[in-house]
Amino acid sequence: MHKSKFRLVLKLLKLVKPLTPVMMCTVIMGTIGFLTAIFISIFGGYAILNVIGIDTGLTNKSIFIIVVTLAVTLSITKYLEQLSGHYIAFRLLADIRGKVFESLRRLAPAKLENKDKGNMISIITTDIELIEVFYAHTIAPVSIGILCSLFMVFFIGSFHHYLGIVAFLGYLIVGLVIPYFNTITGDKVGKEYRNKFGELNSFLLESLRGLKEIIQYGKGNQRREEIKNKSNELSAKNKKLKNLEGNIAAISDTVILSFGLIMLVTSLSLQKQGLLDFTGVIIATISMLGSFGPVVVLSALSNDLLQTLASAERVLGVIDEAPMVEEIVNKKDIQGKELKEAKISNVSFAYEDVT
């Protein structure tokens, strides 16, 4: 991650500090939810082993009770995760909107005179909305992915440490390497898409404001063609993002299936050496294939972050922008007699030399 992106993420994270307890609730509920979903598949594997006559130490009745309990737990934890995660997101979006409008009041009128009005509308509407992806679908999923992956590495590694190493490499590639590669390759496209979106908004707003002149001078067809061209440019950028998203999904699925096969081959090899029984082969393979959920979320999330970080950069740019004229506050008001007695001397004025 570039230094500028790292600083941007840190700025966004600072806004979450007051809601840390709620964020911890989201992470805990999300971790429990994913682990219960994973172990439903694992206990299903134990049930299949019982059916084919392999003693697992568990009866089908006890497995059924455990799976039902896990399913109920899954529904409760997922609800609480979504509730707390979106509470954080929308609470922070409201705070960010307040900061943006406060900044606009500081910047007006001098600093906003030359700004594209449509672009500013894009920033205070869709750009702020896109930041919701970071707060509701990034911070908690990253923490959940790390915790679930570590737990599953130790669980699979309990059958044999070689299997734990295979699981660790699989989670690392899907959850870190692929998203990092996607961010690097798609960062420029994400910025270009948000900028083109803002430009199109500005152009449409200018067209509406100048509709009378466009009709008067017969430029309707020309303006319509220009709008069409800008829309096509925006669609082209969006197509690039969608192609990138499809490629990443295909790569992630290929890696997941490959590591499932690697886990199966490795566990069978260990069985031949007498280091693992058949139950370990089946459960380790099912665990590997069924536990990529938390890290797949991170891989898919990197596509949304391409636009989210670009939008956050534009929004925080408005918040951090310094006004041309600083407002004087907490000073004594001059009025009445003091105002009449005010004198001005040795005052001069000149335009700035622009040559």
Short mmCIF file of all heavy atoms in Angstrom, two decimals, residues 224-281:
data_model
loop_
_atom_site.label_atom_id
_atom_site.label_comp_id
_atom_site.label_asym_id
_atom_site.label_seq_id
_atom_site.Cartn_x
_atom_site.Cartn_y
_atom_site.Cartn_z
N ARG A 224 -26.07 17.22 -26.51
CA ARG A 224 -26.51 15.84 -26.30
C ARG A 224 -25.39 14.87 -26.66
O ARG A 224 -25.15 13.87 -25.97
CB ARG A 224 -27.75 15.55 -27.14
CG ARG A 224 -28.40 14.20 -26.82
CD ARG A 224 -29.58 13.90 -27.73
NE ARG A 224 -30.60 14.93 -27.66
CZ ARG A 224 -30.89 15.77 -28.65
NH1 ARG A 224 -30.21 15.71 -29.78
NH2 ARG A 224 -31.84 16.66 -28.51
N GLU A 225 -24.68 15.16 -27.75
CA GLU A 225 -23.58 14.31 -28.18
C GLU A 225 -22.43 14.33 -27.17
O GLU A 225 -21.81 13.30 -26.88
CB GLU A 225 -23.07 14.77 -29.56
CG GLU A 225 -22.15 13.79 -30.25
CD GLU A 225 -22.82 12.48 -30.59
OE1 GLU A 225 -24.06 12.48 -30.81
OE2 GLU A 225 -22.12 11.45 -30.62
N GLU A 226 -22.17 15.51 -26.61
CA GLU A 226 -21.11 15.62 -25.60
C GLU A 226 -21.45 14.83 -24.34
O GLU A 226 -20.60 14.17 -23.74
CB GLU A 226 -20.87 17.10 -25.26
CG GLU A 226 -20.21 17.88 -26.40
CD GLU A 226 -20.15 19.37 -26.09
OE1 GLU A 226 -20.81 19.80 -25.12
OE2 GLU A 226 -19.42 20.08 -26.80
N ILE A 227 -22.74 14.90 -23.93
CA ILE A 227 -23.18 14.12 -22.77
C ILE A 227 -23.04 12.63 -23.05
O ILE A 227 -22.59 11.85 -22.19
CB ILE A 227 -24.64 14.47 -22.41
CG1 ILE A 227 -24.73 15.90 -21.89
CG2 ILE A 227 -25.20 13.49 -21.38
CD1 ILE A 227 -26.15 16.38 -21.65
N LYS A 228 -23.39 12.22 -24.26
CA LYS A 228 -23.27 10.81 -24.65
C LYS A 228 -21.82 10.36 -24.60
O LYS A 228 -21.51 9.26 -24.10
CB LYS A 228 -23.84 10.62 -26.05
CG LYS A 228 -23.80 9.18 -26.54
CD LYS A 228 -24.38 9.06 -27.94
CE LYS A 228 -24.28 7.65 -28.45
NZ LYS A 228 -24.83 7.52 -29.83
N ASN A 229 -20.90 11.19 -25.09
CA ASN A 229 -19.48 10.84 -25.08
C ASN A 229 -18.95 10.69 -23.66
O ASN A 229 -18.19 9.77 -23.35
CB ASN A 229 -18.67 11.90 -25.84
CG ASN A 229 -18.94 11.88 -27.33
OD1 ASN A 229 -19.37 10.86 -27.88
ND2 ASN A 229 -18.71 13.01 -27.99
N LYS A 230 -19.34 11.63 -22.79
CA LYS A 230 -18.89 11.56 -21.41
C LYS A 230 -19.48 10.34 -20.71
O LYS A 230 -18.81 9.70 -19.86
CB LYS A 230 -19.25 12.85 -20.66
CG LYS A 230 -18.43 14.06 -21.09
CD LYS A 230 -18.73 15.28 -20.24
CE LYS A 230 -17.83 16.45 -20.66
NZ LYS A 230 -16.41 16.18 -20.36
N SER A 231 -20.72 10.00 -21.03
CA SER A 231 -21.34 8.80 -20.45
C SER A 231 -20.62 7.54 -20.92
O SER A 231 -20.41 6.60 -20.14
CB SER A 231 -22.82 8.72 -20.83
OG SER A 231 -23.53 9.82 -20.32
N ASN A 232 -20.22 7.52 -22.19
CA ASN A 232 -19.48 6.38 -22.72
C ASN A 232 -18.11 6.25 -22.06
O ASN A 232 -17.65 5.13 -21.79
CB ASN A 232 -19.31 6.52 -24.23
CG ASN A 232 -20.63 6.34 -24.98
OD1 ASN A 232 -21.56 5.72 -24.47
ND2 ASN A 232 -20.72 6.88 -26.19
N GLU A 233 -17.46 7.39 -21.80
CA GLU A 233 -16.17 7.35 -21.11
C GLU A 233 -16.33 6.78 -19.71
O GLU A 233 -15.51 5.97 -19.25
CB GLU A 233 -15.58 8.76 -21.03
CG GLU A 233 -15.11 9.32 -22.36
CD GLU A 233 -14.63 10.76 -22.25
OE1 GLU A 233 -14.59 11.28 -21.11
OE2 GLU A 233 -14.29 11.36 -23.29
N LEU A 234 -17.40 7.18 -19.02
CA LEU A 234 -17.66 6.67 -17.67
C LEU A 234 -17.96 5.17 -17.72
O LEU A 234 -17.48 4.40 -16.88
CB LEU A 234 -18.84 7.42 -17.06
CG LEU A 234 -19.18 7.09 -15.61
CD1 LEU A 234 -18.04 7.51 -14.68
CD2 LEU A 234 -20.47 7.78 -15.18
N SER A 235 -18.73 4.75 -18.71
CA SER A 235 -19.06 3.33 -18.86
C SER A 235 -17.81 2.49 -19.13
O SER A 235 -17.69 1.36 -18.65
CB SER A 235 -20.07 3.13 -19.99
OG SER A 235 -21.29 3.79 -19.71
N ALA A 236 -16.89 3.07 -19.91
CA ALA A 236 -15.64 2.36 -20.21
C ALA A 236 -14.81 2.13 -18.94
O ALA A 236 -14.24 1.06 -18.73
CB ALA A 236 -14.82 3.15 -21.23
N LYS A 237 -14.76 3.15 -18.07
CA LYS A 237 -14.04 3.01 -16.80
C LYS A 237 -14.73 1.97 -15.90
O LYS A 237 -14.06 1.16 -15.26
CB LYS A 237 -13.97 4.35 -16.08
CG LYS A 237 -13.19 5.43 -16.82
CD LYS A 237 -11.74 5.04 -17.01
CE LYS A 237 -10.98 6.13 -17.78
NZ LYS A 237 -9.59 5.72 -18.06
N ASN A 238 -16.06 2.01 -15.89
CA ASN A 238 -16.81 1.04 -15.09
C ASN A 238 -16.60 -0.38 -15.60
O ASN A 238 -16.50 -1.33 -14.81
CB ASN A 238 -18.29 1.39 -15.11
CG ASN A 238 -19.10 0.55 -14.15
OD1 ASN A 238 -18.72 0.39 -13.00
ND2 ASN A 238 -20.20 0.01 -14.63
N LYS A 239 -16.49 -0.53 -16.92
CA LYS A 239 -16.25 -1.84 -17.51
C LYS A 239 -14.90 -2.38 -17.09
O LYS A 239 -14.74 -3.58 -16.81
CB LYS A 239 -16.34 -1.75 -19.04
CG LYS A 239 -16.22 -3.09 -19.74
CD LYS A 239 -16.37 -2.94 -21.24
CE LYS A 239 -16.24 -4.30 -21.93
NZ LYS A 239 -16.38 -4.18 -23.41
N LYS A 240 -13.90 -1.49 -17.03
CA LYS A 240 -12.57 -1.92 -16.58
C LYS A 240 -12.63 -2.42 -15.14
O LYS A 240 -12.01 -3.44 -14.80
CB LYS A 240 -11.58 -0.75 -16.67
CG LYS A 240 -11.11 -0.44 -18.08
CD LYS A 240 -10.04 0.64 -18.06
CE LYS A 240 -9.54 0.93 -19.47
NZ LYS A 240 -8.48 1.99 -19.45
N LEU A 241 -13.37 -1.71 -14.30
CA LEU A 241 -13.51 -2.13 -12.90
C LEU A 241 -14.21 -3.49 -12.80
O LEU A 241 -13.80 -4.35 -12.01
CB LEU A 241 -14.30 -1.09 -12.11
CG LEU A 241 -13.57 0.21 -11.76
CD1 LEU A 241 -14.54 1.21 -11.13
CD2 LEU A 241 -12.41 -0.04 -10.81
N LYS A 242 -15.26 -3.69 -13.61
CA LYS A 242 -16.00 -4.95 -13.58
C LYS A 242 -15.14 -6.10 -14.10
O LYS A 242 -15.20 -7.23 -13.58
CB LYS A 242 -17.29 -4.84 -14.40
CG LYS A 242 -18.33 -3.89 -13.80
CD LYS A 242 -18.72 -4.31 -12.41
CE LYS A 242 -19.74 -3.36 -11.81
NZ LYS A 242 -20.06 -3.74 -10.40
N ASN A 243 -14.35 -5.84 -15.15
CA ASN A 243 -13.44 -6.88 -15.66
C ASN A 243 -12.42 -7.27 -14.61
O ASN A 243 -12.10 -8.46 -14.44
CB ASN A 243 -12.73 -6.38 -16.92
CG ASN A 243 -13.65 -6.32 -18.13
OD1 ASN A 243 -14.68 -6.99 -18.17
ND2 ASN A 243 -13.30 -5.52 -19.12
N LEU A 244 -11.91 -6.26 -13.92
CA LEU A 244 -10.94 -6.52 -12.86
C LEU A 244 -11.58 -7.34 -11.74
O LEU A 244 -10.97 -8.28 -11.21
CB LEU A 244 -10.41 -5.20 -12.31
CG LEU A 244 -9.24 -5.26 -11.32
CD1 LEU A 244 -8.03 -5.91 -11.96
CD2 LEU A 244 -8.89 -3.87 -10.83
N GLU A 245 -12.83 -6.99 -11.41
CA GLU A 245 -13.55 -7.73 -10.37
C GLU A 245 -13.75 -9.19 -10.78
O GLU A 245 -13.58 -10.12 -9.97
CB GLU A 245 -14.90 -7.06 -10.14
CG GLU A 245 -15.74 -7.70 -9.06
CD GLU A 245 -17.06 -6.98 -8.84
OE1 GLU A 245 -17.21 -5.85 -9.34
OE2 GLU A 245 -17.94 -7.55 -8.17
N GLY A 246 -14.11 -9.42 -12.04
CA GLY A 246 -14.30 -10.78 -12.53
C GLY A 246 -13.02 -11.59 -12.52
O GLY A 246 -13.01 -12.76 -12.15
N ASN A 247 -11.92 -10.94 -12.91
CA ASN A 247 -10.62 -11.62 -12.92
C ASN A 247 -10.20 -12.04 -11.51
O ASN A 247 -9.70 -13.15 -11.30
CB ASN A 247 -9.55 -10.72 -13.54
CG ASN A 247 -9.77 -10.47 -15.02
OD1 ASN A 247 -10.42 -11.28 -15.69
ND2 ASN A 247 -9.25 -9.38 -15.54
N ILE A 248 -10.40 -11.13 -10.56
CA ILE A 248 -10.02 -11.43 -9.18
C ILE A 248 -10.86 -12.58 -8.62
O ILE A 248 -10.36 -13.46 -7.92
CB ILE A 248 -10.16 -10.17 -8.30
CG1 ILE A 248 -9.12 -9.13 -8.71
CG2 ILE A 248 -10.00 -10.51 -6.83
CD1 ILE A 248 -7.68 -9.59 -8.58
N ALA A 249 -12.17 -12.57 -8.94
CA ALA A 249 -13.05 -13.65 -8.47
C ALA A 249 -12.61 -14.99 -9.04
O ALA A 249 -12.59 -16.02 -8.33
CB ALA A 249 -14.49 -13.35 -8.86
N ALA A 250 -12.24 -14.99 -10.34
CA ALA A 250 -11.79 -16.23 -10.99
C ALA A 250 -10.48 -16.73 -10.37
O ALA A 250 -10.31 -17.93 -10.12
CB ALA A 250 -11.62 -15.99 -12.48
N ILE A 251 -9.56 -15.81 -10.13
CA ILE A 251 -8.27 -16.18 -9.52
C ILE A 251 -8.49 -16.74 -8.12
O ILE A 251 -7.89 -17.75 -7.73
CB ILE A 251 -7.32 -14.96 -9.49
CG1 ILE A 251 -6.92 -14.56 -10.91
CG2 ILE A 251 -6.07 -15.27 -8.66
CD1 ILE A 251 -6.17 -13.23 -10.98
N SER A 252 -9.36 -16.07 -7.33
CA SER A 252 -9.63 -16.52 -5.97
C SER A 252 -10.23 -17.93 -5.96
O SER A 252 -9.80 -18.79 -5.17
CB SER A 252 -10.58 -15.55 -5.26
OG SER A 252 -10.01 -14.27 -5.15
N ASP A 253 -11.20 -18.18 -6.84
CA ASP A 253 -11.83 -19.51 -6.90
C ASP A 253 -10.81 -20.57 -7.30
O ASP A 253 -10.82 -21.69 -6.76
CB ASP A 253 -12.99 -19.49 -7.89
CG ASP A 253 -14.17 -18.68 -7.39
OD1 ASP A 253 -14.21 -18.39 -6.18
OD2 ASP A 253 -15.03 -18.30 -8.21
N THR A 254 -9.94 -20.24 -8.24
CA THR A 254 -8.91 -21.19 -8.68
C THR A 254 -7.96 -21.53 -7.54
O THR A 254 -7.61 -22.70 -7.33
CB THR A 254 -8.12 -20.60 -9.86
OG1 THR A 254 -9.02 -20.30 -10.93
CG2 THR A 254 -7.08 -21.60 -10.35
N VAL A 255 -7.54 -20.51 -6.79
CA VAL A 255 -6.63 -20.73 -5.66
C VAL A 255 -7.30 -21.58 -4.59
O VAL A 255 -6.67 -22.49 -4.03
CB VAL A 255 -6.17 -19.37 -5.08
CG1 VAL A 255 -5.40 -19.58 -3.78
CG2 VAL A 255 -5.29 -18.64 -6.08
N ILE A 256 -8.58 -21.31 -4.31
CA ILE A 256 -9.30 -22.08 -3.28
C ILE A 256 -9.39 -23.56 -3.66
O ILE A 256 -9.09 -24.45 -2.85
CB ILE A 256 -10.71 -21.50 -3.08
CG1 ILE A 256 -10.63 -20.13 -2.40
CG2 ILE A 256 -11.58 -22.44 -2.24
CD1 ILE A 256 -11.94 -19.38 -2.36
N LEU A 257 -9.78 -23.84 -4.90
CA LEU A 257 -9.86 -25.22 -5.36
C LEU A 257 -8.49 -25.88 -5.37
O LEU A 257 -8.35 -27.07 -5.02
CB LEU A 257 -10.49 -25.27 -6.75
CG LEU A 257 -11.97 -24.88 -6.83
CD1 LEU A 257 -12.43 -24.82 -8.28
CD2 LEU A 257 -12.83 -25.85 -6.03
N SER A 258 -7.47 -25.12 -5.75
CA SER A 258 -6.10 -25.66 -5.79
C SER A 258 -5.63 -26.06 -4.40
O SER A 258 -5.05 -27.13 -4.21
CB SER A 258 -5.14 -24.63 -6.39
OG SER A 258 -5.50 -24.32 -7.72
N PHE A 259 -5.91 -25.19 -3.41
CA PHE A 259 -5.46 -25.52 -2.05
C PHE A 259 -6.29 -26.64 -1.44
O PHE A 259 -5.80 -27.38 -0.58
CB PHE A 259 -5.48 -24.27 -1.16
CG PHE A 259 -4.18 -23.53 -1.19
CD1 PHE A 259 -3.97 -22.50 -2.09
CD2 PHE A 259 -3.15 -23.88 -0.34
CE1 PHE A 259 -2.76 -21.82 -2.13
CE2 PHE A 259 -1.94 -23.21 -0.36
CZ PHE A 259 -1.74 -22.18 -1.25
N GLY A 260 -7.56 -26.77 -1.85
CA GLY A 260 -8.35 -27.92 -1.43
C GLY A 260 -7.73 -29.22 -1.93
O GLY A 260 -7.63 -30.21 -1.20
N LEU A 261 -7.28 -29.18 -3.19
CA LEU A 261 -6.61 -30.35 -3.78
C LEU A 261 -5.27 -30.62 -3.11
O LEU A 261 -4.92 -31.77 -2.82
CB LEU A 261 -6.42 -30.12 -5.28
CG LEU A 261 -5.78 -31.26 -6.08
CD1 LEU A 261 -6.64 -32.53 -5.98
CD2 LEU A 261 -5.59 -30.87 -7.54
N ILE A 262 -4.52 -29.55 -2.84
CA ILE A 262 -3.22 -29.70 -2.17
C ILE A 262 -3.41 -30.30 -0.78
O ILE A 262 -2.65 -31.17 -0.34
CB ILE A 262 -2.51 -28.33 -2.06
CG1 ILE A 262 -2.09 -27.85 -3.45
CG2 ILE A 262 -1.28 -28.42 -1.15
CD1 ILE A 262 -1.58 -26.41 -3.47
N MET A 263 -4.45 -29.84 -0.05
CA MET A 263 -4.74 -30.39 1.27
C MET A 263 -5.06 -31.87 1.19
O MET A 263 -4.60 -32.68 2.02
CB MET A 263 -5.89 -29.62 1.90
CG MET A 263 -6.29 -30.08 3.29
SD MET A 263 -5.00 -29.85 4.53
CE MET A 263 -5.06 -28.06 4.71
N LEU A 264 -5.87 -32.25 0.18
CA LEU A 264 -6.23 -33.66 0.01
C LEU A 264 -5.00 -34.51 -0.29
O LEU A 264 -4.80 -35.57 0.32
CB LEU A 264 -7.26 -33.79 -1.11
CG LEU A 264 -7.71 -35.22 -1.46
CD1 LEU A 264 -8.37 -35.88 -0.25
CD2 LEU A 264 -8.65 -35.20 -2.65
N VAL A 265 -4.18 -34.05 -1.22
CA VAL A 265 -2.98 -34.81 -1.60
C VAL A 265 -2.02 -34.92 -0.43
O VAL A 265 -1.46 -36.00 -0.16
CB VAL A 265 -2.29 -34.14 -2.81
CG1 VAL A 265 -0.93 -34.79 -3.08
CG2 VAL A 265 -3.18 -34.22 -4.04
N THR A 266 -1.82 -33.82 0.29
CA THR A 266 -0.90 -33.83 1.43
C THR A 266 -1.39 -34.76 2.53
O THR A 266 -0.62 -35.54 3.11
CB THR A 266 -0.75 -32.40 2.01
OG1 THR A 266 -0.35 -31.52 0.97
CG2 THR A 266 0.28 -32.38 3.13
N SER A 267 -2.69 -34.70 2.83
CA SER A 267 -3.24 -35.55 3.89
C SER A 267 -3.21 -37.03 3.49
O SER A 267 -2.93 -37.91 4.33
CB SER A 267 -4.67 -35.12 4.23
OG SER A 267 -5.50 -35.14 3.08
N LEU A 268 -3.46 -37.34 2.21
CA LEU A 268 -3.35 -38.73 1.75
C LEU A 268 -1.92 -39.23 1.85
O LEU A 268 -1.67 -40.40 2.20
CB LEU A 268 -3.85 -38.84 0.30
CG LEU A 268 -5.37 -38.75 0.10
CD1 LEU A 268 -5.71 -38.70 -1.38
CD2 LEU A 268 -6.08 -39.92 0.78
N SER A 269 -0.97 -38.35 1.54
CA SER A 269 0.44 -38.71 1.65
C SER A 269 0.80 -39.02 3.11
O SER A 269 1.52 -39.99 3.40
CB SER A 269 1.32 -37.58 1.12
OG SER A 269 2.69 -37.86 1.31
N LEU A 270 0.28 -38.21 4.03
CA LEU A 270 0.55 -38.44 5.45
C LEU A 270 -0.12 -39.73 5.93
O LEU A 270 0.41 -40.44 6.80
CB LEU A 270 0.03 -37.25 6.27
CG LEU A 270 0.78 -35.93 6.10
CD1 LEU A 270 0.04 -34.79 6.79
CD2 LEU A 270 2.21 -36.04 6.65
N GLN A 271 -1.30 -40.07 5.34
CA GLN A 271 -1.98 -41.30 5.70
C GLN A 271 -1.15 -42.52 5.27
O GLN A 271 -1.04 -43.50 6.02
CB GLN A 271 -3.36 -41.36 5.06
CG GLN A 271 -4.18 -42.58 5.48
CD GLN A 271 -5.40 -42.80 4.61
OE1 GLN A 271 -5.48 -42.28 3.50
NE2 GLN A 271 -6.35 -43.60 5.11
N LYS A 272 -0.57 -42.43 4.08
CA LYS A 272 0.26 -43.54 3.59
C LYS A 272 1.47 -43.77 4.49
O LYS A 272 1.95 -44.88 4.65
CB LYS A 272 0.73 -43.25 2.16
CG LYS A 272 -0.36 -43.40 1.11
CD LYS A 272 0.20 -43.15 -0.29
CE LYS A 272 -0.90 -43.31 -1.34
NZ LYS A 272 -0.37 -43.05 -2.72
N GLN A 273 1.96 -42.68 5.09
CA GLN A 273 3.10 -42.78 5.98
C GLN A 273 2.70 -43.19 7.40
O GLN A 273 3.55 -43.32 8.28
CB GLN A 273 3.85 -41.45 6.03
CG GLN A 273 4.40 -40.99 4.68
CD GLN A 273 4.99 -39.59 4.75
OE1 GLN A 273 5.71 -39.25 5.69
NE2 GLN A 273 4.72 -38.79 3.73
N GLY A 274 1.38 -43.35 7.62
CA GLY A 274 0.90 -43.73 8.94
C GLY A 274 0.86 -42.60 9.93
O GLY A 274 0.74 -42.83 11.14
N LEU A 275 0.93 -41.35 9.44
CA LEU A 275 0.93 -40.19 10.31
C LEU A 275 -0.45 -39.57 10.47
O LEU A 275 -0.62 -38.62 11.23
CB LEU A 275 1.90 -39.12 9.77
CG LEU A 275 3.37 -39.57 9.62
CD1 LEU A 275 4.19 -38.47 8.94
CD2 LEU A 275 3.95 -39.90 10.99
N LEU A 276 -1.44 -40.11 9.73
CA LEU A 276 -2.78 -39.54 9.75
C LEU A 276 -3.78 -40.63 9.41
O LEU A 276 -3.52 -41.46 8.53
CB LEU A 276 -2.87 -38.39 8.73
CG LEU A 276 -4.12 -37.51 8.74
CD1 LEU A 276 -4.18 -36.67 10.01
CD2 LEU A 276 -4.14 -36.59 7.52
N ASP A 277 -4.92 -40.66 10.10
CA ASP A 277 -5.94 -41.65 9.77
C ASP A 277 -6.89 -41.09 8.71
O ASP A 277 -6.81 -39.91 8.34
CB ASP A 277 -6.71 -42.09 11.02
CG ASP A 277 -7.38 -40.91 11.74
OD1 ASP A 277 -7.47 -39.82 11.14
OD2 ASP A 277 -7.82 -41.09 12.89
N PHE A 278 -7.82 -41.93 8.23
CA PHE A 278 -8.73 -41.51 7.15
C PHE A 278 -9.67 -40.40 7.61
O PHE A 278 -10.03 -39.54 6.83
CB PHE A 278 -9.53 -42.72 6.66
CG PHE A 278 -10.39 -42.41 5.47
CD1 PHE A 278 -9.83 -42.13 4.23
CD2 PHE A 278 -11.78 -42.37 5.59
CE1 PHE A 278 -10.62 -41.84 3.13
CE2 PHE A 278 -12.58 -42.07 4.50
CZ PHE A 278 -11.99 -41.80 3.26
N THR A 279 -10.05 -40.44 8.89
CA THR A 279 -10.91 -39.37 9.42
C THR A 279 -10.21 -38.02 9.30
O THR A 279 -10.82 -37.01 8.91
CB THR A 279 -11.25 -39.65 10.90
OG1 THR A 279 -11.98 -40.87 10.98
CG2 THR A 279 -12.09 -38.51 11.49
N GLY A 280 -8.93 -38.00 9.62
CA GLY A 280 -8.15 -36.77 9.50
C GLY A 280 -8.08 -36.27 8.07
O GLY A 280 -8.12 -35.06 7.81
N VAL A 281 -7.97 -37.21 7.10
CA VAL A 281 -7.92 -36.83 5.68
C VAL A 281 -9.20 -36.10 5.28
O VAL A 281 -9.18 -35.03 4.68
CB VAL A 281 -7.71 -38.08 4.80
CG1 VAL A 281 -7.84 -37.71 3.31
CG2 VAL A 281 -6.36 -38.71 5.07
#
